[in-house]
Amino acid sequence: MSANVDNPVAREAAQARPEDSLLGKGMEDGVRDHFRAYVRRVRGGEMGALPAIGGLVVLFIVFGFAHDLFLSQRNMANLLTQAAPLVMLGMALVFVLLLGEIDLSAGVTFGVSMASFVRLTQPDGLAWPVALAVALGIGLAIGGFIGFFVARVGIPSFVVTLGMFLGLQGVLLVIIGDAGAYRLIPAPIKALNTSNLPVWAGWLMLIGVLALLAGVALWDRARRSAAGAPNPPLSIMLAKLAGITVVGIAAVWFLSQDRGSGAIPIRGVPIVVPVVLGFAMVATFLLDRTRYGRYLYAIGGNREAARRAGINVTAVRWTAFVLCSTVAVLAGLFYVSRVGSADAGMGREIVLSGVAAAVVGGVSLFGGRGRLVHAIIGALVIATIQNGMGLLGLPAGTVLAVSGGVLILAATVDALARRRSGGVAVT
Amino acid sequence: MAHPPIIELRAVTKSFGPVDVLKGVDFAAHAGRVTALVGDNGAGKSTLIKGLAGVQPYDGGDVLFGGEPVRLDHPRDAAKHGIEVVYQDLALCDNLDIVQNMFLGREERRLGTFEEGQMEVEAAAALQSLSVKTVKSLRQKVSSLSGGQRQTVAIARAVVKQASVVILDEPTAALGVAQTAQVLALVRRLADHGVAVIMISHNLQDVFEVADDVSVLYLGTMTARIEVANTTREDVVGYITGTKTMEAVA
């Protein structure tokens, strides 16, 4: 590290405080060192979303060749709206997965809250914002209930949420009753996962996202400089931003083409995209930059160490379940918006896809490792499998079997990566 | 021992049900000195330490910090007085990096968000003050560190916030020969910085190498408090096993 005399920052640091030069902060080296360090981390088992991104590329190539409609604007927009509930559910589960816990009832939680929402907004019912508040309240209450039994009573989350999985299905049946299903009425909620932004708004969204990312990155650098800490090379940050910009422009341009089959043009970025991105950014901020987020990781890594560091472990674990269930309600909102109705089977099957999404994306089932963006990428993988195989006309049984296989494969990668990084089992 | 002790216990007691674990123990640690706490299994070492850490308050007796009586009823109370404990089973999170571990539970923040740069600089300064030079990057995960390096991080974690008393629970128990030497040197430097170091150890070789004072617990009573320079290994073994006694030399 100190041998790298070609690096002006390191040289400067070495000259300023010679005795410091042996203590690398892991930031001051050149692009090549950062790349090497990255390769070392990947080989050491910290693969992050790499396998999922690779899988996504392979799936796109395979399905693109297998069916000529797969890469059409229409199907891609369709894929995004199909994936939206799964993306949201995957992100919800990240909060508990980081603790090394699981919530098997996240799907039926959105089932119960959405059944309530749809019923409450039937004609002569409540205004939809009120009903939505009630639905979120239901999610909050369910999460609080689960969290109490896991964090306070000390029952394994697997057992508590399996119980909730069964119990809430019963509640869902009671709410839906003999009607079998209820139609979704409120127009804004219907539009949420069925309509598109105007073309100009799609571009505006892209500019907003890029400006925010660049602004945060520059602010970070300024803060680090002010504290006297070295910054990683500017070129790395610029390359990352450039990559996101290129992908973003391509995606927005692609979705801005007319994909309608009739006289009325259909174009624009689906409305769910900015909603999901907005949530992902806020929640990533929470996980990366606040004590609450750091403590989720710490508890997932070593609960006893977290406790000794003075962290209120019970409160953090409890609230993680509240967050998971509440965000799951939003996943349900995307789901009913797309389907247009609420029925008694809602959310029963999607929960394992949600877990699969997070794990496929690189969130560890053992806790302490993973990011929200992993859940997004993983959900896109699962949704792509379902979408592509559906296009090819494969039977539902095959789709289920393949999805299950992918989950086990991802969990295997997770377990092997964990072994390689030298982690030990922490209960 | 010209200076008054920075922390002093007077006749502290602790019972679990009918079992008296600490039967009126006197103990003191001085700034800039390493005080070894030795004793056989079940002598009450851990209970004494847990009381100092505020994890398990004493039932009776007085705790004096800098000559003033204080209460240590919660880990927060201990932290407030700058009492830090480095536990035997290294209370570090494998999935976090060195800086994150050193600041866990007391992160530097502005507007609710982390000051990562500031924490990095302070972590580097803390390691620097302990003359640690073997760490390649402060941003590597603790899972990639060796046992000695982990112990180093755990000790640095204790000093990053200007600790006045650092309690080390068997700091060399899991280490090899070279790493033990490194950690003992670290313990010495810690004391040289003016910290009162309390070191629990089973290893008398370590004790005689690094400690200034030694306190021996035997079945819940302090059987010996003596300067290392004024005793021999045979005597200390005698105090530990209860075959030899002496009146407290406070």
Side-chain angles (χ1 to χ4, degrees):
Chain A
M1 181 149 294
S2 55
N4 179 24
V5 282
D6 291 328
N7 173 4
V9 183
R11 198 167 53 220
E12 204 179 289
Q15 282 162 356
R17 286 181 298 175
E19 72 279 10
D20 262 6
S21 59
L22 288 166
L23 257 187
K25 294 187 179 66
M27 291 291 171
E28 55 273 78
D29 298 312
V31 176
R32 196 191 291 177
D33 300 271
H34 275 266
F35 182 71
R36 278 207 200 110
Y38 176 70
V39 171
R40 205 167 41 237
R41 281 203 302 275
V42 168
R43 294 176 62 161
E46 288 178 52
M47 282 176 289
L50 272 189
I53 292 173
L56 202 56
V57 170
V58 170
L59 285 172
F60 266 65
I61 293 170
V62 170
F63 286 132
F65 277 110
H67 201 290
D68 45 0
L69 278 184
F70 178 76
L71 289 174
S72 66
Q73 281 96 348
R74 197 169 179 182
N75 189 51
M76 283 296 112
N78 191 31
L79 176 63
L80 288 177
T81 55
Q82 267 177 345
L86 197 56
V87 168
M88 211 63 188
L89 192 62
M91 289 199 283
L93 286 162
V94 168
F95 294 107
V96 293
L97 288 173
L98 280 181
L99 293 172
E101 309 283 353
I102 199 160
D103 184 356
L104 294 175
S105 62
V108 286
T109 296
F110 90 46
V112 167
S113 58
M114 280 303 116
S116 312
F117 175 78
V118 172
R119 277 210 66 173
L120 287 171
T121 51
Q122 292 300 305
D124 308 329
L126 299 172
W128 71 264
V130 181
L132 183 59
V134 173
L136 287 169
I138 291 172
L140 206 89
I142 293 174
F145 185 82
I146 298 170
F148 173 78
F149 282 100
V150 175
R152 283 299 290 272
V153 182
I155 306 174
S157 56
F158 175 81
V159 175
V160 177
T161 60
L162 186 62
M164 292 299 276
F165 175 69
L166 297 173
L168 290 177
Q169 280 184 51
V171 175
L172 182 54
L173 277 174
V174 171
I175 296 173
I176 296 293
D178 294 332
Y182 283 88
R183 212 154 62 80
L184 174 70
I185 307 284
I189 301 301
K190 272 186 178 168
L192 180 63
N193 201 9
T194 51
S195 301
N196 304 306
L197 294 175
V199 169
W200 61 264
W203 290 111
L204 193 67
M205 171 201 83
L206 180 63
I207 293 169
V209 168
L210 290 173
L212 202 62
L213 290 178
V216 168
L218 287 173
W219 187 50
D220 274 351
R221 294 182 75 87
R223 272 172 101 175
R224 291 186 62 90
S225 300
N231 269 305
L234 190 67
S235 49
I236 292 181
M237 171 198 137
L238 292 177
K240 274 185 192 163
L241 279 177
I244 296 171
T245 307
V246 168
V247 172
I249 288 176
V252 173
W253 176 81
F254 187 74
L255 291 169
S256 298
Q257 310 299 308
D258 180 19
R259 54 180 180 266
S261 50
I264 308 159
I266 301 176
R267 56 167 60 135
V269 176
I271 290 177
V272 280
V273 173
V275 177
V276 166
L277 285 181
F279 174 81
M281 289 208 257
V282 171
T284 300
F285 182 88
L286 177 78
L287 285 182
D288 286 359
R289 292 162 184 272
T290 70
R291 284 191 167 171
Y292 183 77
R294 179 68 46 85
Y295 295 170
L296 280 177
Y297 284 95
I299 295 169
N302 186 345
R303 198 193 297 171
E304 184 56 24
R307 198 182 64 78
R308 287 176 184 174
I311 296 169
N312 187 341
V313 173
T314 306
V316 174
R317 293 178 77 213
W318 194 334
T319 45
F321 282 94
V322 173
L323 269 175
C324 174
S325 297
T326 311
V327 177
V329 173
L330 297 178
L333 204 62
F334 292 167
Y335 177 85
V336 289
S337 168
R338 196 182 137 75
V339 174
S341 64
D343 63 76
M346 260 190 317
R348 203 167 49 201
E349 272 155 28
I350 198 175
V351 69
L352 281 183
S353 296
V355 175
V359 176
V360 167
V363 180
S364 175
L365 280 169
F366 302 100
R369 202 151 42 81
R371 300 171 55 75
L372 276 177
V373 67
H374 294 169
I376 298 179
I377 296 166
L380 289 176
V381 170
I382 303 286
T384 302
I385 292 172
Q386 289 169 353
N387 173 291
M389 294 179 86
L391 262 186
L392 294 175
L394 293 171
T398 314
V399 179
L400 263 183
V402 170
S403 302
V406 170
L407 171 58
I408 293 178
L409 183 71
T412 308
V413 171
D414 178 26
L416 293 179
R418 183 180 170 72
R419 192 184 301 173
R420 189 178 273 207
S421 67
V424 281
V426 177
T427 49
Chain B
M1 281 189 255
H3 301 287
I6 185 149
I7 189 140
E8 191 174 3
L9 303 179
R10 286 189 188 158
V12 295
T13 58
K14 179 77 188 175
S15 309
F16 296 101
V19 185
D20 298 327
V21 180
L22 298 179
K23 306 166 186 168
V25 170
D26 294 338
F27 179 75
H30 299 255
R33 295 180 74 89
V34 178
T35 306
L37 181 60
V38 299
D40 215 339
N41 290 335
K45 302 188 300 284
S46 299
T47 309
L48 192 73
I49 291 316
K50 281 179 180 158
L52 281 174
V55 177
Q56 221 173 58
Y58 304 120
D59 293 338
D62 296 315
V63 182
L64 282 82
F65 189 86
E68 300 287 314
V70 294
R71 296 197 61 79
L72 300 173
D73 294 333
H74 191 276
R76 262 197 309 272
D77 300 333
K80 197 174 68 194
H81 292 107
I83 301 173
E84 294 281 347
V85 187
V86 180
Y87 290 97
Q88 184 177 10
D89 43 352
L90 307 181
L92 298 176
C93 294
D94 271 353
N95 59 329
L96 301 183
D97 66 35
I98 294 175
V99 179
Q100 289 170 341
N101 264 295
M102 283 174 68
F103 281 88
L104 189 60
R106 51 205 173 170
E107 292 83 359
E108 298 286 352
R109 293 173 306 162
R110 207 176 60 181
L111 305 173
T113 68
F114 292 146
E115 283 284 1
E116 294 287 357
Q118 188 189 339
M119 288 194 273
E120 243 169 68
V121 171
E122 287 178 20
L127 287 166
Q128 192 73 50
S129 74
L130 297 170
S131 304
V132 174
K133 286 180 177 145
T134 50
V135 178
K136 211 167 180 186
S137 163
L138 290 177
R139 287 298 177 186
Q140 62 185 313
K141 299 242 152 82
V142 164
S143 60
S144 67
L145 301 181
S146 70
Q149 288 174 319
R150 281 159 183 255
Q151 191 62 269
T152 303
V153 172
I155 293 173
R157 180 184 147 74
V159 298
V160 77
K161 283 292 175 191
Q162 308 292 328
S164 54
V165 178
V166 173
I167 302 165
L168 302 157
D169 188 2
E170 296 272 4
T172 61
L175 302 181
V177 177
Q179 292 183 333
T180 296
Q182 265 176 29
V183 169
L184 288 181
L186 202 60
V187 170
R188 191 64 253 169
R189 280 197 290 275
L190 203 54
D192 292 344
H193 280 290
V195 175
V197 180
I198 301 170
M199 182 177 86
I200 298 184
S201 186
H202 268 117
N203 188 333
L204 288 186
Q205 193 177 337
D206 289 359
V207 169
F208 276 84
E209 190 173 329
V210 75
D212 301 299
D213 308 305
V214 57
S215 295
V216 185
L217 268 175
Y218 177 72
L219 296 179
T221 51
M222 201 59 91
T223 52
R225 290 166 63 196
I226 193 164
E227 283 192 45
V228 169
N230 298 339
T231 187
T232 64
R233 195 175 296 197
E234 288 68 32
D235 283 349
V236 173
V237 170
Y239 301 138
I240 291 173
T241 54
T243 55
K244 202 172 160 78
T245 52
M246 70 181 282
E247 288 310 307
V249 273

Coordinates of all heavy atoms in Angstrom, one line a residue, chain A residues 23-76:
Chain A
L23 N -0.6 3.0 7.8 CA -2.0 2.8 8.2 C -2.9 3.2 7.0 O -3.3 4.3 6.9 CB -2.4 3.6 9.4 CG -2.4 2.9 10.8 CD1 -3.0 3.9 11.8 CD2 -3.2 1.7 10.7
G24 N -3.2 2.2 6.2 CA -4.1 2.5 5.1 C -5.5 2.7 5.6 O -6.0 2.0 6.4
K25 N -6.1 3.8 5.0 CA -7.6 4.0 5.3 C -8.4 3.3 4.3 O -9.6 3.3 4.4 CB -7.9 5.5 5.4 CG -7.2 6.1 6.6 CD -7.7 7.6 6.7 CE -7.0 8.2 7.9 NZ -5.5 8.4 7.7
G26 N -7.8 2.7 3.3 CA -8.5 2.0 2.3 C -9.2 2.9 1.3 O -10.1 2.5 0.6
M27 N -8.8 4.2 1.2 CA -9.5 5.1 0.3 C -8.5 5.8 -0.6 O -8.8 6.3 -1.7 CB -10.2 6.2 1.1 CG -11.4 5.7 1.9 SD -12.7 5.2 0.8 CE -13.8 4.4 1.9
E28 N -7.2 5.9 -0.1 CA -6.3 6.9 -0.8 C -5.7 6.4 -2.0 O -5.0 7.2 -2.7 CB -5.3 7.4 0.2 CG -4.4 6.2 0.9 CD -5.1 5.7 2.1 OE1 -6.0 4.9 1.9 OE2 -4.7 6.0 3.2
D29 N -5.8 5.2 -2.4 CA -5.0 4.7 -3.5 C -5.7 5.0 -4.8 O -6.7 5.6 -4.9 CB -4.9 3.1 -3.4 CG -4.1 2.8 -2.1 OD1 -3.1 3.4 -1.9 OD2 -4.6 1.9 -1.4
G30 N -5.0 4.6 -5.9 CA -5.4 4.9 -7.2 C -6.5 4.0 -7.7 O -6.9 3.0 -7.0
V31 N -6.9 4.2 -8.9 CA -8.0 3.4 -9.5 C -7.6 2.0 -9.6 O -8.4 1.1 -9.2 CB -8.3 3.9 -10.9 CG1 -9.4 3.1 -11.6 CG2 -8.8 5.4 -10.9
R32 N -6.4 1.7 -9.9 CA -6.0 0.3 -10.1 C -6.0 -0.4 -8.7 O -6.5 -1.5 -8.7 CB -4.5 0.3 -10.6 CG -4.2 -1.1 -11.2 CD -2.7 -1.2 -11.5 NE -2.4 -0.4 -12.7 CZ -1.1 -0.3 -13.1 NH1 -0.1 -1.0 -12.4 NH2 -0.8 0.4 -14.1
D33 N -5.6 0.3 -7.7 CA -5.6 -0.4 -6.4 C -7.0 -0.7 -5.9 O -7.3 -1.7 -5.3 CB -4.9 0.5 -5.3 CG -3.5 0.8 -5.7 OD1 -2.6 0.0 -5.3 OD2 -3.3 1.8 -6.4
H34 N -7.9 0.3 -6.2 CA -9.3 0.1 -5.8 C -9.9 -1.1 -6.6 O -10.7 -1.9 -6.1 CB -10.1 1.4 -6.1 CG -10.0 2.3 -5.0 ND1 -11.0 2.4 -4.0 CD2 -9.1 3.3 -4.7 CE1 -10.6 3.3 -3.1 NE2 -9.5 3.9 -3.5
F35 N -9.5 -1.2 -7.9 CA -10.0 -2.3 -8.7 C -9.5 -3.6 -8.1 O -10.2 -4.6 -8.0 CB -9.6 -2.1 -10.1 CG -10.1 -3.2 -11.0 CD1 -11.5 -3.3 -11.3 CD2 -9.3 -4.2 -11.5 CE1 -12.0 -4.3 -12.1 CE2 -9.8 -5.2 -12.3 CZ -11.1 -5.2 -12.6
R36 N -8.2 -3.6 -7.8 CA -7.6 -4.8 -7.2 C -8.3 -5.2 -5.9 O -8.6 -6.4 -5.7 CB -6.1 -4.6 -6.9 CG -5.3 -4.8 -8.2 CD -3.9 -5.3 -7.8 NE -3.0 -5.0 -8.9 CZ -2.0 -4.0 -8.8 NH1 -1.9 -3.3 -7.7 NH2 -1.3 -3.8 -9.9
A37 N -8.5 -4.2 -5.1 CA -9.2 -4.5 -3.8 C -10.6 -5.0 -4.0 O -11.0 -5.9 -3.3 CB -9.3 -3.2 -3.0
Y38 N -11.2 -4.5 -5.1 CA -12.6 -5.0 -5.4 C -12.5 -6.5 -5.8 O -13.3 -7.3 -5.3 CB -13.2 -4.1 -6.5 CG -14.5 -4.6 -6.9 CD1 -15.6 -4.5 -6.1 CD2 -14.7 -5.2 -8.2 CE1 -16.9 -4.9 -6.5 CE2 -15.9 -5.7 -8.6 CZ -17.0 -5.5 -7.8 OH -18.2 -6.0 -8.2
V39 N -11.6 -6.8 -6.7 CA -11.4 -8.2 -7.1 C -11.2 -9.1 -5.9 O -11.7 -10.2 -5.8 CB -10.3 -8.3 -8.2 CG1 -10.0 -9.7 -8.5 CG2 -10.7 -7.5 -9.4
R40 N -10.3 -8.6 -5.0 CA -10.0 -9.4 -3.8 C -11.2 -9.6 -3.0 O -11.4 -10.7 -2.5 CB -8.9 -8.6 -3.0 CG -8.1 -9.6 -2.2 CD -6.8 -8.9 -1.6 NE -7.0 -7.5 -1.1 CZ -6.4 -6.5 -1.6 NH1 -5.4 -6.6 -2.5 NH2 -6.6 -5.3 -1.1
R41 N -12.0 -8.6 -2.8 CA -13.3 -8.8 -2.0 C -14.2 -9.8 -2.7 O -14.8 -10.7 -2.0 CB -14.0 -7.4 -1.9 CG -13.4 -6.5 -0.9 CD -14.4 -5.5 -0.4 NE -14.9 -4.7 -1.4 CZ -14.4 -3.6 -1.9 NH1 -13.2 -3.2 -1.3 NH2 -14.9 -2.9 -2.8
V42 N -14.3 -9.7 -4.0 CA -15.2 -10.6 -4.7 C -14.7 -12.0 -4.6 O -15.5 -12.9 -4.3 CB -15.3 -10.2 -6.2 CG1 -16.0 -11.3 -7.0 CG2 -16.0 -8.9 -6.4
R43 N -13.4 -12.2 -4.7 CA -12.9 -13.6 -4.6 C -13.0 -14.0 -3.2 O -13.0 -15.2 -2.9 CB -11.4 -13.6 -5.1 CG -11.3 -13.3 -6.6 CD -9.9 -13.3 -7.0 NE -9.3 -14.5 -6.8 CZ -8.1 -14.9 -7.5 NH1 -7.6 -14.0 -8.3 NH2 -7.6 -16.0 -7.2
G44 N -13.0 -13.1 -2.2 CA -13.1 -13.5 -0.8 C -14.5 -13.8 -0.4 O -14.8 -14.0 0.7
G45 N -15.5 -13.7 -1.4 CA -16.8 -14.1 -1.1 C -17.8 -12.9 -1.0 O -19.0 -13.2 -0.9
E46 N -17.3 -11.7 -1.1 CA -18.2 -10.6 -1.1 C -18.7 -10.2 -2.5 O -18.3 -9.3 -3.1 CB -17.6 -9.4 -0.5 CG -17.3 -9.5 1.0 CD -16.6 -8.3 1.5 OE1 -17.1 -7.1 1.3 OE2 -15.6 -8.4 2.2
M47 N -19.6 -11.1 -3.0 CA -19.9 -10.9 -4.5 C -21.0 -9.9 -4.7 O -21.2 -9.4 -5.8 CB -20.3 -12.3 -5.1 CG -19.0 -13.1 -5.4 SD -19.4 -14.7 -5.9 CE -20.1 -15.5 -4.5
G48 N -21.8 -9.6 -3.6 CA -22.8 -8.6 -3.8 C -23.8 -9.1 -4.8 O -24.2 -10.3 -4.9
A49 N -24.2 -8.2 -5.7 CA -25.2 -8.5 -6.7 C -24.6 -9.0 -8.0 O -25.4 -9.3 -9.0 CB -26.0 -7.2 -7.0
L50 N -23.3 -9.3 -8.0 CA -22.7 -9.7 -9.3 C -23.3 -11.0 -9.9 O -23.7 -11.0 -11.1 CB -21.2 -10.0 -9.1 CG -20.2 -8.8 -9.2 CD1 -18.8 -9.3 -9.2 CD2 -20.5 -8.1 -10.6
P51 N -23.6 -12.1 -9.1 CA -24.2 -13.2 -9.7 C -25.6 -12.9 -10.3 O -25.9 -13.4 -11.4 CB -24.3 -14.2 -8.6 CG -23.3 -13.7 -7.5 CD -23.2 -12.3 -7.7
A52 N -26.3 -12.1 -9.6 CA -27.7 -11.7 -10.0 C -27.6 -10.9 -11.3 O -28.4 -11.1 -12.2 CB -28.4 -11.0 -9.0
I53 N -26.7 -10.0 -11.4 CA -26.6 -9.2 -12.6 C -26.2 -10.1 -13.8 O -26.8 -10.0 -14.9 CB -25.5 -8.0 -12.4 CG1 -26.1 -7.0 -11.4 CG2 -25.3 -7.3 -13.7 CD1 -25.1 -6.0 -11.0
G54 N -25.2 -11.0 -13.5 CA -24.8 -11.9 -14.6 C -26.0 -12.8 -15.0 O -26.3 -12.9 -16.2
G55 N -26.8 -13.2 -14.0 CA -27.9 -14.1 -14.3 C -29.0 -13.3 -15.2 O -29.5 -13.8 -16.1
L56 N -29.2 -12.0 -14.8 CA -30.1 -11.2 -15.5 C -29.7 -11.0 -17.0 O -30.5 -11.2 -17.9 CB -30.2 -9.8 -14.8 CG -31.5 -9.0 -15.1 CD1 -32.7 -9.8 -14.7 CD2 -31.4 -7.7 -14.3
V57 N -28.4 -10.8 -17.2 CA -27.9 -10.6 -18.6 C -28.1 -11.9 -19.4 O -28.7 -11.9 -20.5 CB -26.4 -10.3 -18.6 CG1 -25.8 -10.3 -20.0 CG2 -26.2 -8.9 -18.0
V58 N -27.8 -13.1 -18.7 CA -28.0 -14.4 -19.4 C -29.5 -14.6 -19.7 O -29.8 -15.0 -20.9 CB -27.4 -15.5 -18.5 CG1 -27.8 -16.9 -19.1 CG2 -25.9 -15.4 -18.4
L59 N -30.3 -14.3 -18.8 CA -31.8 -14.5 -19.0 C -32.3 -13.7 -20.2 O -33.1 -14.1 -21.0 CB -32.6 -14.2 -17.7 CG -32.5 -15.2 -16.6 CD1 -33.1 -14.6 -15.3 CD2 -33.2 -16.5 -17.0
F60 N -31.8 -12.4 -20.2 CA -32.2 -11.5 -21.3 C -31.8 -12.1 -22.6 O -32.5 -12.0 -23.6 CB -31.7 -10.1 -21.1 CG -32.7 -9.2 -20.3 CD1 -33.0 -9.5 -19.0 CD2 -33.2 -8.1 -21.0 CE1 -33.9 -8.7 -18.4 CE2 -34.2 -7.3 -20.3 CZ -34.5 -7.6 -19.0
I61 N -30.5 -12.6 -22.7 CA -30.0 -13.1 -24.0 C -30.8 -14.3 -24.4 O -31.3 -14.4 -25.5 CB -28.5 -13.4 -23.8 CG1 -27.7 -12.1 -23.7 CG2 -28.0 -14.2 -25.1 CD1 -26.3 -12.4 -23.3
V62 N -31.0 -15.2 -23.4 CA -31.7 -16.5 -23.7 C -33.2 -16.2 -24.1 O -33.6 -16.7 -25.2 CB -31.7 -17.4 -22.5 CG1 -32.7 -18.6 -22.7 CG2 -30.3 -17.9 -22.2
F63 N -33.9 -15.4 -23.3 CA -35.3 -15.2 -23.7 C -35.4 -14.3 -24.9 O -36.3 -14.4 -25.7 CB -36.0 -14.5 -22.5 CG -36.3 -15.5 -21.4 CD1 -36.0 -15.1 -20.1 CD2 -36.9 -16.7 -21.6 CE1 -36.3 -16.0 -19.0 CE2 -37.2 -17.6 -20.6 CZ -36.9 -17.2 -19.3
G64 N -34.4 -13.4 -25.1 CA -34.4 -12.6 -26.3 C -34.3 -13.4 -27.6 O -35.0 -13.1 -28.6
F65 N -33.5 -14.4 -27.5 CA -33.4 -15.3 -28.7 C -34.6 -16.3 -28.8 O -35.1 -16.6 -29.9 CB -32.1 -16.1 -28.6 CG -30.9 -15.4 -29.2 CD1 -29.9 -14.9 -28.3 CD2 -30.8 -15.1 -30.5 CE1 -28.8 -14.2 -28.8 CE2 -29.8 -14.4 -31.0 CZ -28.8 -13.9 -30.2
A66 N -35.1 -16.7 -27.6 CA -36.2 -17.7 -27.6 C -37.5 -17.1 -28.1 O -38.4 -17.8 -28.6 CB -36.3 -18.3 -26.2
H67 N -37.8 -15.8 -27.8 CA -39.1 -15.3 -28.2 C -38.9 -13.8 -28.7 O -38.3 -13.0 -27.9 CB -40.0 -15.3 -27.0 CG -41.4 -15.2 -27.4 ND1 -42.0 -14.1 -27.9 CD2 -42.4 -16.1 -27.4 CE1 -43.3 -14.3 -28.2 NE2 -43.6 -15.5 -27.9
D68 N -39.3 -13.5 -29.9 CA -39.0 -12.2 -30.4 C -39.8 -11.1 -29.8 O -39.5 -9.9 -30.0 CB -39.2 -12.2 -32.0 CG -40.5 -12.8 -32.4 OD1 -41.2 -13.3 -31.5 OD2 -40.7 -12.9 -33.6
L69 N -40.8 -11.4 -29.0 CA -41.5 -10.3 -28.3 C -40.9 -10.0 -26.9 O -41.2 -9.0 -26.3 CB -43.0 -10.7 -28.0 CG -44.0 -10.5 -29.2 CD1 -45.4 -10.9 -28.8 CD2 -43.9 -9.1 -29.8
F70 N -40.0 -10.8 -26.4 CA -39.5 -10.6 -25.1 C -38.8 -9.3 -24.9 O -39.1 -8.5 -23.9 CB -38.5 -11.7 -24.7 CG -37.8 -11.5 -23.4 CD1 -38.6 -11.8 -22.2 CD2 -36.6 -11.0 -23.2 CE1 -38.0 -11.6 -21.0 CE2 -36.0 -10.7 -22.0 CZ -36.8 -11.1 -20.8
L71 N -38.0 -8.8 -25.9 CA -37.3 -7.6 -25.7 C -38.1 -6.4 -26.3 O -37.6 -5.3 -26.4 CB -36.0 -7.7 -26.4 CG -34.9 -8.5 -25.7 CD1 -33.7 -8.7 -26.6 CD2 -34.6 -8.0 -24.4
S72 N -39.4 -6.6 -26.6 CA -40.2 -5.5 -27.1 C -40.5 -4.5 -26.0 O -40.5 -4.8 -24.8 CB -41.5 -6.0 -27.7 OG -42.3 -6.6 -26.6
Q73 N -40.7 -3.2 -26.4 CA -41.0 -2.2 -25.4 C -42.2 -2.6 -24.5 O -42.2 -2.4 -23.3 CB -41.4 -0.9 -26.1 CG -40.2 -0.1 -26.6 CD -39.9 -0.4 -28.0 OE1 -40.5 -1.3 -28.6 NE2 -39.1 0.4 -28.6
R74 N -43.2 -3.2 -25.2 CA -44.4 -3.6 -24.5 C -44.1 -4.6 -23.4 O -44.6 -4.4 -22.3 CB -45.4 -4.2 -25.5 CG -46.8 -4.2 -25.0 CD -47.6 -4.5 -26.2 NE -49.0 -4.6 -25.8 CZ -49.9 -4.9 -26.7 NH1 -49.6 -5.2 -27.9 NH2 -51.2 -5.0 -26.3
N75 N -43.3 -5.6 -23.7 CA -43.1 -6.6 -22.7 C -42.1 -6.1 -21.6 O -42.3 -6.5 -20.5 CB -42.4 -7.9 -23.4 CG -42.4 -9.0 -22.4 OD1 -43.3 -9.3 -21.7 ND2 -41.2 -9.6 -22.2
M76 N -41.2 -5.2 -22.0 CA -40.3 -4.7 -21.0 C -41.1 -3.8 -20.0 O -40.9 -3.9 -18.8 CB -39.2 -3.9 -21.6 CG -38.1 -4.7 -22.3 SD -37.2 -5.7 -21.1 CE -37.7 -7.3 -21.6

